[in-house]
Amino acid sequence: MAASPLPPPDPRFVLRGTQSAVHALHFFGGAEGQGQPLLLSGSLSGLVHIWSLQTRRAVATLDGHRGQCVTWLHSLPQGHQLLSQGRDLKLCLWDLAEGRNAVVDSMRLESMGFCRSTVLARGQRHWMLAMPGRGSDEVQILEMPSKTSVCTLKPEADAKPGMPMCLELWQAESSPRPLLLAGYEDGSVALWDVSERKVCSRVACHTEPDP
C-alpha cells in the first residue's frame, strides 16, 4: 500500500497587500535588499510589488501595464534592471537602480496567447530574448537591447504542434550555441538549435497543453 503524501510545510510568513490575484513571482537581488533578496510579484491588476523579505512589506509598486495582468518577471544580469510582460501585449524594461522605478524601454508583443518570454544572458549588457511570434506557432528570437531580429522559429508544415505555451532559452556548458526548449499546445516539447533554426529533437510528453 502506497504511503500517504506528506502535507505541505507551513509558511514562514505570508505577504499580503496585492489586492488582486498573483500571476508571476521572481526573486530579485537588487541593491535595496542590502544583502537579502527581494521578492517581486505581478498581479492581475497590472501592478508589480517589490517586497522586502526582512520587513515583510512592499517597498515599491510598479505600474506599467495599464491595469492588465502581469504574467512574467525577470531580472537582468546588471542587477538593477527588470523585464515585465503583461496581457496588454507589452514587454517593459524597468530601471530599479538607486530607488528608481521607471520604464526606460518597451516593445509590443505579437501574440495574444499566454506564453511567457525567456531570456539568455550574453554578457553584462546584452541578452537574447525569445517570445511568441506573430504566427500562432512561431517563436521570435531577438538580440537585446538593440531589438535586432535573430530569427523566427517555425515548425515544419507537417508538425502542427499548435501554439507555444512555454519557452526556455539555455546554453550547454560544452557549446556556445544557444538552444531553446519550447512546449506546445499539443503537449509536445521541442529542442531548437537557434543558430541552425532547426529542431534537434521533439518528444510527446503530455496529452494536454504544456503550461
Side-chain angles (χ1 to χ4, degrees):
M1 183 176 179
S4 300
L6 295 175
D10 293 331
R12 294 184 61 186
F13 52 85
V14 178
L15 304 174
R16 303 183 189 277
T18 61
Q19 300 178 348
S20 64
V22 173
H23 284 251
L25 293 170
H26 180 67
F27 283 109
F28 176 69
E32 292 89 344
Q34 300 178 348
Q36 294 290 331
L38 302 170
L39 179 66
L40 308 181
S41 65
S43 67
L44 181 65
S45 63
L47 300 178
V48 176
H49 290 82
I50 303 178
W51 301 89
S52 167
L53 299 183
Q54 290 180 312
T55 65
R56 304 174 188 178
R57 295 180 180 272
V59 297
T61 303
L62 313 180
D63 186 0
H65 290 281
R66 300 181 300 175
Q68 299 294 308
C69 180
V70 177
T71 60
W72 178 68
L73 298 165
H74 186 86
S75 53
L76 295 174
Q78 294 93 320
H80 63 269
Q81 289 188 317
L82 171 72
L83 287 169
S84 66
Q85 179 180 330
R87 291 290 291 163
D88 58 344
L89 302 183
K90 192 165 71 171
L91 192 71
C92 294
L93 175 64
W94 300 83
D95 178 13
L96 303 182
E98 299 177 351
R100 293 190 290 270
N101 55 6
V103 175
V104 294
D105 200 1
S106 65
M107 60 184 298
R108 186 162 180 82
L109 301 172
E110 300 286 353
S111 172
M112 293 284 291
F114 291 90
C115 185
R116 300 169 179 176
S117 302
T118 179
V119 166
L120 177 66
R122 311 278 279 179
Q124 284 293 313
R125 297 186 178 274
H126 301 276
W127 64 94
M128 180 175 284
L129 172 72
M131 64 183 188
R134 180 173 300 176
S136 63
D137 59 354
E138 295 178 352
V139 177
Q140 187 176 3
I141 309 292
L142 301 174
E143 283 287 352
M144 299 294 286
S146 66
K147 304 178 186 176
T148 303
S149 178
V150 175
C151 64
T152 298
L153 303 178
K154 183 176 176 63
E156 297 179 357
D158 59 347
K160 298 180 180 179
M163 298 172 60
M165 303 297 290
C166 55
L167 303 171
E168 184 68 29
L169 278 169
W170 64 291
Q171 188 171 325
E173 294 182 358
S174 58
S175 172
R177 303 167 75 90
L179 303 170
L180 174 73
L181 280 169
Y184 288 92
E185 194 174 9
D186 68 348
S188 67
V189 176
L191 176 63
W192 288 87
D193 183 320
V194 175
S195 300
E196 295 291 332
R197 282 79 159 161
K198 69 178 184 180
V199 174
C200 302
S201 63
R202 183 185 297 275
V203 179
C205 297
H206 306 280
T207 57
E208 298 291 336
D210 294 308

